[in-house]
Amino acid sequence: QACTYPCRCPSQPLQCPAGTSHVLDACGCCKVCARQLGELCSLQKPCDHHKGLYCDFSKIHRGSGICLAHEGATCDLLGKIYHNGESFQPTCKLQCICMDGAIGCIPLCSEDLRLPSPDCPNPRRVKFRNKCCEEWICEEGGEENRFETAMAVFREDPAHKPELNNLQENCLVQTTEWSACSKSCGMGISARVTNDNPQCRLEKETRLCMVQPCDFPMEKTKRGKKCVRTPKPRQSLHFEFSGCTSTRSYRPKFCGSCTDGRCCTPYVTSTVEVEFRCPEGDFFQRKMMFIKMCSCHYDCPRDNDIFLATYHRRMIGDHV
């Protein structure tokens, strides 16, 4: 189809299946749901290039093609083989994709937590029949304990009880420390739980983190020293995340390494909003960790600790 200008895009927000990218059409006008492996494609319906897919026009005629993946390693999950670029659901709660031998997944169920509050003093997660994801319900409690169960997160003021329409003013903010970065080098994820929101509801919050770049040159260990500091980069650098680049450059601090079996990890950090720009022209913001101080210790994370969840060391002194 010929392109028409000025661009006219649907007013309704784009609704795509979980794990499907939003990409520009061939006219550079409107975002469309990217076609996946094995699906029909065209200039107006491009393949998901974020997953290494391309439109092969040699197999189908009349301006249509089929989405194929570039050469890459297959993935083995519980004895089942998946091809490079193939999307699959190992369970109803996960949407996964094979990317050159590595498997990446996103949850299809909400992982939010719910804290007792005046409008919901007894929240409980329930599994409903014929539904994959558990859902929160509010059990009705007696009037005498309606506020008692909620006072753990609300300021005690004998003058008045928290009103249902005034949750944030009476909310006693509770926030856990940030978890350790999910990767020892390169871009990872750190998480915490907080109820600092208008609903005073306990929710999971994430931020990007980088302990050190994977290709950063390390200094040689000085004589008599067992650990080496990682210097600040001499030139400012741009962060990269999911194929997008930070709009401004930074000179962050990184943690070093030790030769005596200890780990060097962030100890005091700050959290800053970083803006990213994608090749398609989109902008988005993500919270990101910036290191102020590192510490050396023997409580080292195990390989692949983001999946095994065996690493419980926490950082202190975070300042937003």
Side-chain angles (χ1 to χ4, degrees), residues 115-121 146-147 150 153-154 162-164 167 199-200:
L115 201 66
S117 60
D119 62 332
C120 186
R146 178 172 174 80
F147 290 101
V153 293
F154 285 85
E163 297 293 336
L164 296 183
L167 298 179
Q199 293 77 32
C200 194

Side-chain angles (χ1 to χ4, degrees), residues 43-288:
L43 292 176
Q44 299 296 335
K45 300 174 181 178
C47 299
D48 200 335
H49 63 271
H50 294 122
K51 299 176 181 177
L53 304 181
Y54 67 97
C55 194
D56 186 350
F57 292 97
S58 64
K59 308 205 182 310
I60 300 179
H61 300 291
R62 295 182 182 177
S64 294
I66 189 168
C67 288
L68 300 179
H70 294 288
E71 288 297 323
T74 58
C75 302
D76 184 349
L77 180 63
L78 301 176
K80 189 169 183 179
I81 303 298
Y82 297 94
H83 296 288
N84 179 40
E86 183 176 357
S87 296
F88 59 95
Q89 279 188 248
T91 72
C92 64
K93 295 183 177 182
L94 290 174
Q95 177 71 42
C96 303
I97 182 173
C98 173
M99 295 285 287
D100 196 17
I103 296 176
C105 300
I106 59 171
L108 299 178
C109 297
S110 173
E111 296 181 350
D112 66 318
L113 302 173
R114 188 154 187 180
L115 201 66
S117 60
D119 62 332
C120 186
N122 299 304
R124 188 164 64 92
R125 211 162 191 170
V126 177
K127 178 74 170 71
F128 289 98
R129 189 178 179 182
N130 299 327
K131 285 191 176 182
C132 176
C133 303
E134 295 177 336
E135 297 180 8
W136 286 102
I137 63 169
C138 293
E139 289 187 336
E140 291 294 332
E143 194 64 30
E144 64 278 357
N145 68 349
R146 178 172 174 80
F147 290 101
E148 290 178 8
T149 57
M151 286 307 292
V153 293
F154 285 85
R155 296 187 177 89
E156 296 184 12
D157 186 352
H160 66 279
K161 291 182 179 180
E163 297 293 336
L164 296 183
N165 60 353
N166 200 17
L167 298 179
Q168 194 169 24
E169 182 179 336
N170 297 292
C171 184
L172 183 62
V173 175
Q174 297 183 11
T175 304
T176 65
E177 301 293 346
W178 289 102
S179 68
C181 193
S182 62
K183 289 190 176 182
S184 58
C185 75
M187 194 68 79
I189 300 292
S190 177
R192 70 177 180 182
V193 175
T194 181
N195 65 334
D196 189 8
N197 53 64
Q199 293 77 32
C200 194
R201 182 179 298 175
L202 202 61
E203 294 179 341
K204 186 177 180 180
E205 185 179 31
T206 60
R207 67 176 179 178
L208 301 176
C209 53
M210 184 183 292
V211 179
Q212 59 177 267
C214 293
D215 57 352
F216 201 71
M218 299 294 291
E219 292 182 349
K220 292 183 179 180
T221 308
K222 294 181 180 179
R223 189 173 182 179
K225 297 282 186 179
K226 295 181 179 179
C227 294
V228 57
R229 296 177 63 185
T230 303
K232 269 190 174 183
R234 294 180 179 178
Q235 296 181 342
S236 299
L237 56 86
H238 290 267
F239 294 117
E240 292 188 3
F241 175 64
S242 295
C244 305
T245 307
S246 61
T247 54
R248 56 163 290 194
S249 59
Y250 299 86
R251 288 190 63 201
K253 289 182 179 178
F254 297 120
C255 290
S257 61
C258 298
T259 58
D260 57 358
R262 288 186 295 171
C263 303
C264 190
T265 59
Y267 186 64
V268 180
T269 67
S270 64
T271 304
V272 178
E273 288 275 356
V274 175
E275 186 180 58
F276 290 85
R277 180 175 183 172
C278 303
E280 291 87 358
D282 284 353
F283 290 86
F284 66 88
Q285 289 186 328
R286 288 286 187 277
K287 291 182 179 179
M288 185 162 181

Side-chain angles (χ1 to χ4, degrees), residues 20 24 41 150 217 219 239 270 295 319:
T20 300
L24 284 172
C41 54
E219 292 182 349
F239 294 117
S270 64
S295 67
H319 305 283

